Amino acid sequence: MTATYSSGPLHLVMSAERLGVGKMGVEKSAYRQPVTPQGLKAIEKGTLTWLDDDMYNNLNTGVLEQYLEEKNIAESFEVSHWSTPKVIYGIAIGAVFSGVTAYIGLKLGLAISAAWYIAYLLGMALKWSPSEVNIATSATTGATHASTGFIFTFPAIFLLASDSRYFLADGPLISNADTFNLAFVGIVASMFAGFLGIMYFIIFRRVWLVEDPLPLPGFEATLKMLDIASDVNTGAVEHARASLKTIGWWTTITMGVLFLVEYPLIWINGKKIALFDYIAETAHFGKYGLATFYSKGKIHQPSGVDADGVSLNYTHWSESTQWNPFAYTYVGVALTPSMFAIGWFMKTRVAFLVNLGTLVGWFFLVPLVVYFNFPIYDAGLQANVPIQTYAAGSSAPLQMIAFSKTVRTIAIGSIVGGGMFGLAKMYKTFLNIFSDIGSAFKGEGSQEYMEGKGWYEWPLKHIPIFMGVTFVSMLVIFTIGGFSILASLVFATVLILTTFLLGAIAVRVMGETGIEPVSGTSFIVLLMLLGVFLNAQDLLQLDTQDAVLLGLVGTTVFGSAISMSGTVIGDYKNSLYIGNRPYHISKGNIMGVIPGAIIGAGVAIFLSKQLADGTITLMAPQANAFATFSVIFAEGQGDLYLLALGFLLGMFVEWGTGMGTSFGLGMYLDVPHTLPMLIGGYSRDKWEEKRLTPRIEAIKEKEGTTAAEKQRALILLGTFMVAAGLLTGEAFFGTESSILSFVDTLLSTDQQDSAGWYVGRMGGFIGLNLLIGGGIYLLFKRAGVIGGDSVDAVLED
């Protein structure tokens, strides 16, 4: 696609037919939105520009993205400027928050971070342009997520070495592991893998952000923050004031509610409990009370309470309760604002397709596993035990065992099956991509280089070069780490291939749902590595312990690689809408990898050791699942039939709906965390039908179509700012909660019942909030959003 330019001021002129909206209409997609008439007119005239109403009304149409890509190629060199000092600010924020993200990831199983929000606020306070904010925050997100593999996978090593739940009949699977050596290998290898993950997505950027744009639910929040930065930078403080006020209030409300729902404010007799749980457990009469329907931040099916009014959380299966259908599954809604916000961005259709996987998993597969007494592998007994018998010796509810031991295996297969079939359906597009890759291997330069200006996009020819560098680096690093050359060679080969293929699947899922299945695809890599290492131990000179260690460390490195692919897609998407060069976004992410990998991994390793020793209590769902898988496959008990079943199921759903990977991700998640998505998506559709559409129709009749479309964009943006507040509020809560929880571990437990101890703890709680609130206030004031003149400033030449 080419652009035509007129003399004088640059105007981009494009025909509808060349944009793919000719006689045959826009190509259909599972997630592409229709272009508006006013937007199409603005594109034809070349008047549509970054961050205007027509842009917001046509996000994810494909027509807009292709138009902006051509506009950016021509004009971004005047907008997108690199500033090393500003990027260093972004790296510093991301590096600090990488440790916080490690704590949140181990606690919740989700790598939620508020680092981008802090970076955006800093950029606004210092009056940076949206371009500068976007580039600096690309370094922030790169630093924050460079150590994702250490959050999800690496802790499994400590669990296998110290947690009795994973011991074999003759002791722990891993003993006498050199933690420092493994950490060195993992951190250095993760840096190179992170670079590779960023490089690989250069290939897919045009396919999934320009030609057939993935919606990436939730990106609107960061885009709106860039819009606010533009207002502040250009003096439009009144508009920025209103926008930030909305986000700020909802962030504050979200944090306040979550502190009541999740944070253990009440400590009685050594028991830590959230205020909502305390109220629910106190309000009971005998076996009946509020706690039977509510516990641990979830509204759930009636489960009953014990003699003290404490919720049983789940309906437990037994011979006396086998008549109860709730004993075979679990229904609940988690009070998680971020999932509701993601659902609001998804709308009903996409949210339902994600939930469809959950519904199939929890209301069909889990009950089948329980009812038919499916066998579960017990590491201690080294035998397959019927699940009903297995559950009798476990404190976990039967349905949760069925979910974690069987259904999640099917879900992993479904994610991969749907992704593989989806990629196969796009073979014509990928033929062009592979042609570009072939050119890169031949050393041909990228066509994105602008003579006399520089690179618009990171040079494609660097990909094969860095593939070779990464391959050799992995070989050297793992050999120095004590593994055989042949075993290191096998891992390096697997990493190069899986980062490309499975990384593409993971990024597509993230683009559809807003959630990247790092752990889901990592399970496949672990399966591949353990399958090779355990079955070729003599050839590779590995004993069982070394085979498992190499598999887990290798999977850690893979997780960091594809996490960076998922991180860069969000930064690329925002850059497209504000006129930044992808080259600068890639450069920012690459610079953030090294400090982020070191600090994030260091904190994750520290917390992992405490987790395995029982010093702290964190859920760490992925780490526990990886430890379980390692024991199962080390003992030769992996159920490949379940993976194959999931693979076929994912292919079928992808064929029928075009969103098989989203379906698999839904099956991997639990009901309480996906139903809020569906509620959010359904709420938006009903709100648009009942409230928004009638109002816009009235404006259209009175003031015309143009005024109606602008008003629609403004109203939708208002809801996006509320959703942004929900997302940032939960991220901030996780950050503050992690700090306070760490402080709790430093306090003496001998005087927990004393008044002084409570006063001191509450003082720390209030002090931290005042510190955070004061910092944000100063940033807003520095930006002129608070306490400034309400009249827009006049720009000087």
Side-chain angles (χ1 to χ4, degrees), residues 373-439:
N373 208 11
F374 192 82
I376 300 295
Y377 181 72
D378 184 278
L381 298 176
Q382 294 188 341
N384 287 300
V385 181
I387 190 169
Q388 295 173 15
T389 304
Y390 180 86
S394 173
S395 59
L398 193 60
Q399 56 267 51
M400 297 307 297
I401 297 174
F403 171 64
S404 61
K405 299 285 189 180
T406 58
V407 175
R408 272 195 162 171
T409 304
I410 299 174
I412 293 167
S414 184
I415 289 172
V416 177
M420 296 285 285
F421 192 72
L423 294 177
K425 290 196 305 182
M426 299 175 65
Y427 75 95
K428 291 183 179 179
T429 301
F430 281 104
L431 286 178
N432 296 328
I433 293 176
F434 290 132
S435 175
D436 290 340
I437 296 173
S439 299

Side-chain angles (χ1 to χ4, degrees), residues 139-157:
T140 300
T141 54
T144 303
H145 296 285
S147 58
T148 301
F150 280 89
I151 301 172
F152 292 151
T153 309
F154 202 78
I157 295 175

Side-chain angles (χ1 to χ4, degrees), residues 764-780:
F765 171 76
I766 295 173
L768 180 60
N769 279 282
L770 288 176
L771 181 64
I772 294 174
I776 293 175
Y777 174 82
L778 291 175
L779 287 173
F780 281 13

Side-chain angles (χ1 to χ4, degrees), residues 290-366:
L290 184 59
T292 193
F293 297 101
Y294 172 84
S295 63
K296 297 182 178 179
K298 300 183 185 73
I299 301 170
H300 52 71
Q301 66 193 44
S303 60
V305 297
D306 63 15
D308 297 322
V310 179
S311 176
L312 297 178
N313 300 319
Y314 303 91
T315 305
H316 292 257
W317 187 95
S318 66
E319 291 185 4
S320 61
T321 61
Q322 59 181 320
W323 58 270
N324 187 347
F326 285 124
Y328 294 84
T329 188
Y330 179 67
V331 183
V333 178
L335 303 182
T336 167
S338 61
M339 293 299 182
F340 178 89
I342 289 174
W344 184 271
F345 290 123
M346 286 180 176
K347 304 183 73 172
T348 302
R349 183 182 182 276
V350 177
F352 174 74
L353 287 172
V354 173
N355 268 266
L356 186 59
T358 309
L359 299 176
V360 169
W362 281 94
F363 301 136
F364 181 70
L365 296 176
V366 168

Side-chain angles (χ1 to χ4, degrees), residues 366-585:
V366 168
L368 282 180
V369 171
V370 176
Y371 181 79
F372 287 105
N373 208 11
F374 192 82
I376 300 295
Y377 181 72
D378 184 278
L381 298 176
Q382 294 188 341
N384 287 300
V385 181
I387 190 169
Q388 295 173 15
T389 304
Y390 180 86
S394 173
S395 59
L398 193 60
Q399 56 267 51
M400 297 307 297
I401 297 174
F403 171 64
S404 61
K405 299 285 189 180
T406 58
V407 175
R408 272 195 162 171
T409 304
I410 299 174
I412 293 167
S414 184
I415 289 172
V416 177
M420 296 285 285
F421 192 72
L423 294 177
K425 290 196 305 182
M426 299 175 65
Y427 75 95
K428 291 183 179 179
T429 301
F430 281 104
L431 286 178
N432 296 328
I433 293 176
F434 290 132
S435 175
D436 290 340
I437 296 173
S439 299
F441 273 107
K442 294 176 183 178
E444 298 177 9
S446 168
Q447 296 179 355
E448 300 292 357
Y449 182 78
M450 308 296 287
E451 196 66 39
K453 294 182 178 180
W455 290 100
Y456 171 72
E457 190 163 19
W458 194 277
L460 190 65
K461 62 183 179 182
H462 285 189
I463 297 175
I465 295 173
F466 207 82
M467 286 173 64
V469 170
T470 303
F471 185 88
V472 174
S473 299
M474 294 300 159
L475 190 61
V476 173
I477 292 167
F478 278 85
T479 302
I480 293 176
F483 300 102
S484 69
I485 295 178
L486 187 56
S488 302
L489 181 66
V490 170
F491 167 70
T493 304
V494 170
L495 178 70
I496 296 295
L497 297 177
T498 55
T499 302
F500 177 77
L501 188 58
L502 294 181
I505 295 172
V507 169
R508 183 182 169 187
V509 175
M510 182 178 179
E512 292 174 353
T513 67
I515 302 173
E516 186 177 20
V518 174
S519 53
T521 47
S522 294
F523 274 118
I524 297 299
V525 174
L526 179 62
L527 176 63
M528 294 172 61
L529 293 176
L530 291 183
V532 174
F533 297 150
L534 290 172
N535 288 294
Q537 290 180 239
D538 294 336
L539 177 64
L540 300 176
Q541 303 175 28
L542 297 170
D543 58 23
T544 301
Q545 172 178 293
D546 287 342
V548 173
L549 282 174
L550 183 55
L552 288 171
V553 175
T555 306
T556 297
V557 174
F558 167 81
S560 296
I562 67 164
S563 180
M564 291 308 302
S565 292
T567 295
V568 78
I569 182 178
D571 295 324
Y572 275 150
K573 191 167 182 74
N574 282 301
S575 72
L576 178 65
Y577 294 120
I578 65 169
N580 260 347
R581 285 188 272 166
Y583 175 83
H584 283 158
I585 302 302

Side-chain angles (χ1 to χ4, degrees), residues 177-241:
D178 187 342
T179 305
F180 179 81
N181 180 62
L182 293 175
F184 166 78
V185 171
I187 291 173
V188 177
S190 291
M191 293 177 189
F192 284 94
F195 299 150
L196 186 65
I198 296 169
M199 293 282 185
Y200 270 161
F201 195 75
I202 296 171
I203 302 170
F204 298 105
R205 186 192 69 86
R206 189 171 186 89
V207 177
W208 284 335
L209 293 183
V210 179
E211 295 175 2
D212 191 12
L214 293 166
L216 197 67
F219 94 94
E220 295 92 340
T222 53
L223 183 60
K224 183 56 188 173
M225 290 292 289
L226 289 170
D227 200 344
I228 295 171
S230 176
D231 291 337
V232 173
N233 181 258
T234 57
V237 178
E238 191 62 34
H239 186 206
R241 187 197 305 270

